[in-house]
Amino acid sequence: MSEVEEIMKRILSHKGVEGVIIANTEGIILRSTLEDQSTVHHVALVQPLLMKAKKIVQDMDPEDELTYVRLRTEKNEEIIAADKDYFMISIQTPSL
Amino acid sequence: ENNDVTPQPLHQAGLGAEQANRFLVEELSAGSASDQTTFTGNFGKQFSFFVELLLPDEKWKKDLVKEQVTQALLKVMKDIFITETDTISLLEIAPAILLRTSPCFVYRERNKQYEEVCRKRISNEKYVDRAMQTLNEASKNKQIQNNLMLMVDAGLHVLFIVKKMKPNNYAETFVESSRSAERMCCFSQTFSLSVISSCSLKDVDAVRTGLNTQSDLELIRLSEKFQYSLLLMERSVLRNSFQCQLASYRQLPLVKPKEVEEGEGRTETSCSPALECLWRFSCELSIGCSVSCMAWNQKNPDLLAVGYGESDSRNQEPGLVCCWSIKNPRWPERIIHCDSAVTTLDFSANSPGQLAVGMCDGSIAVYNVQIHCFPILHIGPVWQLRWNKQELSFTGEEKVEALFSVGADGRICKWFIINGGLDCTDLMKLKRSNNTQRKTGQKPEKMAECGLSALTPGLCFDFHPIDSNIYLTGTWEGNIHKCSCSNSHQFLETYKKHFCPVNWITWCPFHPDVFLSCSSDSTIQLWKQDCPRPLLSFSSNHGEVCEVKWSPRQATVFGAVYNGHLEVWDLNSSFLDPVIVQPAAPGLKMTSFLFASLTDCVLVGDSYGQVTVYQMQNLRVGECRQVQHTNISDKCLNIWGLKGEVRSKLEFKLLKVLYFL
């Protein structure tokens, strides 16, 4: 568990990272570094996207699994790492 | 007096028809006017009356028919169908669904008006309150019976997020909890919605932490995959900021950020070769320790192992080995803490997860870096003296890999893995050449006590790239010996030129007979295998040369690191001067360097614990992979002419012949 915390700290301390949210697939928020409202907002919006993405992947190849989704917008980038039981969002404003 | 108020019977059996007729008509008219409610009750009688009047002789038939019907009814089973009528909709008002943003002024107005009306209703005379009562008729109980249907309760899962902004800006969030499936013999399809209605954020927090502890357990369970996701996350976050540097490392076209394009005007497009710093590998653990050695992984070209430790300090500090990945310049992938300072390390080619580490106190450890680094084998100090260097080599015939090492006690050993430990056989003992002690020969027993008497410390060695039986080794005295694995008593050849300890030897990867050596006498010598004298020598006054290495991509390029700077030489362009000279940052000493195998980059380790990645720019890419013999020979001749070195004619001719091969 401490390793997990360490890695999370390192990610957060990196330049440009605004926050990290960890939630399970049902949408229950496990850990978040942003404030509650925006966390809930993010999770509520990302969750159906993830479901759709998972469906896409599984439809195309039933043995395949979604690992990773990246949403690049004008202002920042959301990196979403997904798994069967949880997903993790990190929001970064990259320098590029 | 004849006030006889007894009601006349309606039916008079004995009367005549006419009388009855008149009577009936009167009765009917009277009856129809007054009492209509009991019409139904008397209907039967009147009907029978009618029948009787009109067809008096059919009265019998009617009775008979009635009797017949009743008897038939008893016998015959009749099906009675009860059906429902269609649903009659009495009132239907469809709801109007409006978006908050759509123009709904009309409805708002109407709502407002309605509210006004409601408010004014109390004092308004137009509206009167009146009570009503519904008739409750007597209820009748009916029993029914049917088969028992088993019901299963399946809870649904709905996530409501309803935010209602109260005046003091608290948000209410309704979060529904987990699902439940229970068998209940009642109506199915219940929404198990536990509404956590809280009016303050504190309560929400409390509930969340309650959920958290439960899910934290989940976290621990999922930890492996979770770690992988974290790893991915870290790498991608880093990749975003290091995108430019990584792209130029991998020699991909750069995507210029928009701001930089306008701002900086890249005026300097210098054509002279230079080193551009890309990034630095460093973390808190490694800062302060001096980099002593670096090695690439054979299988994964992005993995770099760096060994830290001061090899010539008196205080024995524990050493460190970090495995860095190009994809993460901020934190090493693996960290190994060693007991003493690390002097050398090498990755195995056969099993790319094995990393052999040699330490200052004479011990070797082999770590498996794929599974979180625990040492597979660790031996106690074999040698009692200091310097060790090991390399894993690859003997071509059997494709067996063995670990070789050379140590300060003058032994070159080959290590085998037996029964969980390492066992060694001596390959060679480095004898002192200019000593009277040569008579004593080799005394293996004495080695442990007086290590330096008969043998001289070996500092470096390198196996031939093609013929892995042959190797070169450099000694403390300055001699370079060529030896063979099969002959452990004699050197095949000795090259003498250096008069100080030879620090590094390396074969040229492109030309099989050429090798470079560097030593503390601040010279670098270029040798050819069968020639006892060096072909070229590069000298400087800059102090001892720590390491010299050939570039894996270009045949004529090699680099040398001194304590104070790094030099990159290109034999194609110049013999006298290095092409690039990169000074060390003030206060730092460069201790080790490495060429990148796939790109034009150089990694330099310094005494502060940082490994800096430089990209070589504008270095003329060699047109061919072979040493251009003819050019070099011409240049050699010129230089020798200029320098006025005396060379025997025999050597001169030999060289010419060799170069024209």
Side-chain angles (χ1 to χ4, degrees), chain B residues 254-289:
Chain B
L254 285 178
V255 174
K256 289 251 191 290
K258 292 178 197 165
E259 317 89 43
V260 176
E261 266 181 40
E262 303 144 19
E264 289 179 28
R266 299 211 66 182
T267 51
E268 40 113 21
T269 46
S270 54
C271 308
S272 62
L275 288 182
E276 184 199 350
C277 173
L278 290 180
W279 73 81
R280 290 203 152 80
F281 285 114
S282 93
C283 66
E284 305 116 20
L285 288 178
S286 67
I287 284 190
C289 319

Side-chain angles (χ1 to χ4, degrees), chain B residues 422-575:
Chain B
L422 280 180
D423 194 29
C424 78
T425 61
D426 285 342
L427 229 56
M428 178 59 69
K429 295 174 189 62
L430 300 168
K431 301 184 277 284
R432 281 177 186 263
S433 46
N434 300 328
N435 265 353
T436 52
Q437 282 175 348
R438 226 170 153 190
K439 305 174 218 161
T440 59
Q442 338 139 33
K443 290 203 176 162
E445 310 84 46
K446 282 205 173 178
M447 257 185 334
E449 290 106 16
C450 42
L452 274 178
S453 57
L455 305 170
T456 164
L459 293 178
C460 52
F461 72 130
D462 193 15
F463 277 82
H464 196 277
I466 300 174
D467 179 13
S468 29
N469 245 347
I470 311 281
Y471 59 94
L472 290 166
T473 168
T475 63
W476 187 271
E477 303 172 311
N479 294 335
I480 302 171
H481 301 293
K482 182 167 87 166
C483 324
S484 154
C485 288
S486 38
N487 183 351
S488 59
H489 299 298
Q490 285 173 346
F491 307 128
L492 294 178
E493 221 177 306
T494 305
Y495 305 91
K496 298 186 195 193
K497 176 74 180 168
H498 293 291
F499 49 88
C500 276
V502 177
N503 284 333
W504 203 271
I505 287 188
T506 168
W507 289 96
C508 176
F510 296 108
H511 197 278
D513 290 330
V514 173
F515 64 92
L516 274 174
S517 69
C518 73
S519 99
S520 308
D521 60 1
S522 64
T523 56
I524 306 170
Q525 312 283 348
L526 176 76
W527 308 77
K528 199 154 163 49
Q529 203 182 44
D530 304 315
C531 184
R533 294 246 154 248
L535 297 175
L536 284 175
S537 102
F538 312 92
S539 56
S540 60
N541 298 328
H542 296 226
E544 63 165 5
V545 192
C546 304
E547 285 181 13
V548 68
K549 284 193 179 128
W550 289 97
S551 160
R553 283 159 60 92
Q554 290 156 19
T556 57
V557 173
F558 66 90
V561 70
Y562 298 72
N563 264 343
H565 62 274
L566 170 77
E567 287 180 354
V568 177
W569 297 74
D570 185 1
L571 291 176
N572 250 345
S573 43
S574 161
F575 274 29

Side-chain angles (χ1 to χ4, degrees), chain B residues 37-161:
Chain B
T37 52
T38 54
F39 185 73
T40 51
N42 292 329
F43 184 71
K45 285 188 195 162
Q46 288 195 358
F47 182 75
S48 55
F49 200 173
F50 265 116
V51 168
E52 189 199 326
L53 276 173
L54 296 167
L55 300 157
D57 48 359
E58 279 186 6
K59 178 196 158 192
W60 295 102
K61 277 188 201 168
K62 187 66 187 176
D63 282 334
L64 275 172
V65 164
K66 263 194 192 167
E67 278 177 27
Q68 271 176 4
V69 163
T70 50
Q71 278 175 3
L73 262 175
L74 284 173
K75 288 176 190 170
V76 171
M77 288 290 288
K78 236 194 164 182
D79 288 319
I80 302 175
F81 294 99
I82 307 172
T83 56
E84 246 184 46
T85 56
D86 289 328
T87 313
I88 303 168
S89 159
L90 294 172
L91 175 66
E92 186 172 337
I93 305 177
I97 303 170
L98 293 173
L99 295 171
R100 240 188 289 146
T101 53
S102 68
C104 49
F105 305 114
V106 179
Y107 295 100
R108 288 220 182 107
E109 282 300 312
R110 285 218 325 233
N111 284 348
K112 274 190 202 157
Q113 281 174 9
Y114 183 67
E115 277 167 26
E116 286 282 319
V117 163
C118 284
R119 267 194 299 118
K120 288 183 187 167
R121 192 173 60 89
I122 302 164
S123 52
N124 207 340
E125 284 164 3
K126 264 203 250 177
Y127 301 95
V128 175
D129 276 328
R130 212 205 296 192
M132 290 269 293
Q133 193 184 20
T134 56
L135 287 172
N136 292 326
E137 296 184 5
S139 60
K140 201 195 287 192
N141 284 332
K142 276 259 173 174
Q143 309 271 335
I144 58 165
Q145 197 178 38
N146 70 343
N147 289 332
L148 181 68
M149 282 192 282
L150 290 174
M151 306 282 184
V152 172
D153 181 33
L156 265 195
H157 197 86
V158 176
L159 183 72
F160 280 104
I161 301 200

Side-chain angles (χ1 to χ4, degrees), chain A residues 1 3-8 10-11 14-15 17 20 22 24 26-32 36-37 39-41 43-44 47 65 67-68 70 72 74 77 79-92 94-96, chain B residues 157 159 161 163 165 171 173 175-176 178-179 201 204-205 208 211-212 215-216 218-220 222-223 225-244 255-259 328 330-332 372:
Chain A
M1 275 303 291
E3 272 192 44
V4 162
E5 293 293 332
E6 256 194 55
I7 301 181
M8 271 199 68
R10 285 207 312 265
I11 296 180
H14 196 73
K15 148 173 96 150
V17 171
V20 174
I22 306 176
N24 74 356
E26 299 168 7
I28 301 176
I29 298 155
L30 303 175
R31 197 152 300 184
S32 163
D36 286 334
Q37 231 187 21
T39 308
V40 167
H41 200 194
V43 166
Q47 204 202 2
E65 241 188 66
T67 47
Y68 200 47
R70 262 180 132 157
R72 184 84 170 87
E74 291 245 320
E77 174 159 6
I79 305 166
I80 307 164
D83 186 54
K84 265 195 293 110
D85 305 314
Y86 63 87
F87 61 93
M88 180 164 49
I89 312 174
S90 88
I91 305 153
Q92 188 192 19
S95 47
L96 263 190
Chain B
H157 197 86
L159 183 72
I161 301 200
K163 289 192 214 160
M165 296 305 286
T173 49
V175 176
E176 71 95 47
S178 59
R179 54 193 92 171
L201 283 173
V204 174
D205 265 341
R208 265 219 353 239
L211 286 174
N212 247 348
S215 332
D216 270 353
E218 263 189 284
L219 248 185
I220 296 168
L222 320 163
S223 59
K225 272 221 130 182
F226 190 66
Q227 295 238 0
Y228 180 67
S229 300
L230 277 174
L231 182 79
L232 268 185
M233 185 69 73
E234 201 181 355
R235 283 200 183 167
S236 36
V237 159
L238 284 165
R239 215 182 273 195
N240 271 336
S241 2
F242 282 102
Q243 212 269 338
C244 286
V255 174
K256 289 251 191 290
K258 292 178 197 165
E259 317 89 43
N328 187 348
R330 286 264 164 267
W331 192 261
H372 285 280

